Amino acid sequence: MYEYDFVVVGVGPAGARFSRRAAEKGYDVLALEQGTVGTPLACSGHVSTDVWEFTGPGARAELFQNEIYGARFHVGGPRSDAYPFYKDEVASNVIDRVGLDRHLADLAREAGADVREEHTVTEVRERRDRVEVVASGPDDVYTFEAKMVAGCDGPRSRVRDELDLPEPDELLHGVLAFSEEEDHQDFVDVHLTAPTFFAWRIPRGNAGVEYGLAAPPGVQVNKHFEELIDGYEVDVSHRCSGAIPIGPPERVTTRRGFLLGDAAAQTKPFTGGGILYGMTSADHAAREIDPDRPTTLAAYERAWRDDIEREQSLGHWLRRAYSLPEPVQRIGLGALSGKIGVHMDRPTSLLSRDHLRAMISRAFR
Ligand SMILES: Cc1cc2nc3c(=O)[nH]c(=O)nc-3n(C[C@H](O)[C@H](O)[C@H](O)COP(=O)(O)OP(=O)(O)OC[C@H]3O[C@@H](n4cnc5c(N)ncnc54)[C@H](O)[C@@H]3O)c2cc1C
């Protein structure tokens, strides 16, 4: 006799979304979060407006901070030339990321999932007919049995290690900090000053301004970050940091286990963003996986790759532009900047009618 259909490890966006969808289908779901949902913060919460398709009533009023129409790219620091890329309509939103996680976890609870905080998973044992998940709770150590385990436990996934699944190709190191300036501008700034990646400034309305930077291991991230802050001449506080996995890995499923979200490196290689890809993949998992039929895991593996793997491949190509010599970057940015018709989660939309129309109208301006 199984205790649960699914034990979900980690209640970030991917785990909360999968828990909600699986519970809505009538499955018994236990979701374990090592700390308090949403904390510690290590994310900008800069997302496409598609995010509101994953939330419940009242979410926008509760979580929205600012709307963004485009990005100003800089080859150097704050005083260097800006190359704007923008849309006529809102391209993205800046939202309260801690609040988002809590909201999504509440939706999972309302759907019937048993969400437990302060439970750290330390061991996963995959048997032929079940999985055993060992978690250390506030008062005791528990072993839960389930038909399947979902590893939604972020970039340094314990479940991934326990199931012997491959690591992501790369783990970038991201840092963030906030100043108290109130800023309702509708552009973010992107500085191609960090080796192979970038630094950023995000206006968050009344919630201040966020400064951040990400780069591969071995790069002096803190030194580059200090240069960014010095360049803007601001005081920042609430520093935080996190890992950004870049993939995709070869395999994210075993006989009775699967990974979702950052654990599966379901992120955009050219921005590191993973909130939308993680939740989209969670929907594929909830639709395809039947806990009584382990072979359905192959359908999940196919579904998420069919949906986002091409976007990830193109995202890798876009990222290569961050490493071009500065003069080439200037020429490229100068030639391409202006109005665009690209969806921030879908690099393939570079070939869309909207984008081509924007490029053509610019050429005849
Ligand atoms: C600096 C930085 C900025 C970013 N900015 C953006 C952005 O603007 N937009 C965007 O889309 N993405 C951004 N990202 C990426 C985004 O944060 C991730 O893609 C997203 O959080 C992935 O969601 P997830 O649910 O897969 O994992 P997570 O959000 O990492 O959630 C995993 C959860 O699992 C829990 N957990 C871990 N181990 C265990 C365990 N052993 N037992 C129980 N629970 C466990 C963790 O506590 C956590 O709550 C950023 C990342 C960084 C580092």
Side-chain angles (χ1 to χ4, degrees), residues 10 12-14 33-34 42-46 97 119 121 152-153 261-262 273-275:
E33 168 55 46
Q34 67 184 355
C43 176
S44 309
H46 178 217
R97 168 63 205 267
H119 281 71
V121 169
C152 311
D153 47 345
D262 272 19
I275 296 174

Side-chain angles (χ1 to χ4, degrees), residues 46-52 91-93 268 276 343-345:
H46 178 217
V47 282
S48 67
T49 50
D50 295 358
V51 72
W52 307 118
S92 55
N93 283 175
K268 293 182 275 182
L276 267 299
H343 186 293
M344 73 183 271
D345 297 329

Side-chain angles (χ1 to χ4, degrees), residues 284-308:
H284 289 309
R287 192 188 60 248
E288 299 293 346
I289 300 171
D290 174 348
D292 288 309
R293 294 171 55 221
T295 52
T296 56
L297 284 168
Y300 158 63
E301 186 88 78
R302 264 195 310 275
W304 80 264
R305 290 183 194 277
D306 283 352
D307 191 4
I308 67 174

Side-chain angles (χ1 to χ4, degrees), residues 6-285:
F6 296 102
V7 171
V8 176
V9 183
V11 187
R17 179 71 184 182
F18 177 77
S19 300
R20 174 188 175 191
R21 280 289 182 237
E24 281 170 350
K25 286 184 81 175
Y27 292 123
D28 286 331
V29 179
L30 171 68
L32 302 172
E33 168 55 46
Q34 67 184 355
T36 308
V37 168
T39 59
L41 172 71
C43 176
S44 309
H46 178 217
V47 282
S48 67
T49 50
D50 295 358
V51 72
W52 307 118
E53 291 166 21
F54 294 84
T55 53
R60 199 173 187 281
E62 192 189 321
L63 306 173
F64 172 84
Q65 292 178 337
N66 198 12
E67 56 189 14
I68 302 296
Y69 281 71
R72 288 183 292 249
F73 278 76
H74 306 254
V75 171
R79 282 180 223 292
S80 64
D81 291 342
Y83 300 91
F85 291 75
Y86 56 89
K87 294 177 93 163
D88 279 341
E89 71 270 23
V90 175
S92 55
N93 283 175
V94 183
I95 63 167
D96 167 2
R97 168 63 205 267
V98 174
L100 175 72
D101 284 23
R102 290 184 181 151
H103 175 83
L104 296 170
D106 285 345
L107 292 176
R109 286 189 181 103
E110 282 163 26
D114 178 358
V115 178
R116 298 191 202 174
E117 296 176 290
E118 311 296 339
H119 281 71
T120 304
V121 169
T122 53
E123 214 182 318
V124 176
R125 295 188 287 259
E126 196 174 23
R127 310 286 187 209
R128 199 190 52 77
D129 59 343
R130 66 187 187 284
V131 285
E132 294 160 5
V133 178
V134 181
S136 163
D139 310 313
D140 213 340
V141 173
Y142 306 91
T143 302
F144 301 103
E145 285 191 358
K147 295 175 187 170
M148 286 195 184
V149 61
C152 311
D153 47 345
R156 300 186 193 281
S157 170
R158 179 74 186 233
V159 176
R160 187 174 64 216
D161 290 350
E162 292 286 303
L163 296 179
D164 232 354
L165 281 165
E167 300 271 316
D169 300 335
E170 202 182 353
L171 267 189
L172 303 178
H173 177 198
V175 289
L176 293 179
F178 302 86
S179 74
E180 284 174 8
E181 316 147 75
E182 191 178 309
D183 191 341
H184 296 269
Q185 281 187 80
D186 46 21
F187 269 76
V188 298
D189 287 281
V190 175
H191 298 274
L192 303 179
T193 48
T196 81
F197 220 67
F198 58 83
W200 62 88
R201 178 187 189 275
I202 300 179
R204 311 190 70 95
N206 296 331
V209 174
E210 176 196 310
Y211 297 85
L213 184 142
V219 169
Q220 289 178 298
V221 166
N222 288 329
K223 177 181 145 283
H224 288 286
F225 187 64
E226 291 311 325
E227 284 166 7
L228 179 79
I229 300 304
D230 290 349
Y232 274 106
E233 298 177 4
V234 285
D235 289 327
V236 292
S237 58
H238 299 99
R239 280 179 194 243
C240 46
S241 70
I244 299 175
I246 305 290
E250 254 169 54
R251 204 160 53 91
V252 302
T253 54
T254 58
R255 182 174 158 76
R256 290 190 173 271
F258 59 99
L259 306 177
L260 268 175
D262 272 19
Q266 288 161 341
T267 59
K268 293 182 275 182
F270 65 110
T271 68
I275 296 174
L276 267 299
Y277 281 6
M279 291 198 292
T280 303
S281 300
D283 284 358
H284 289 309

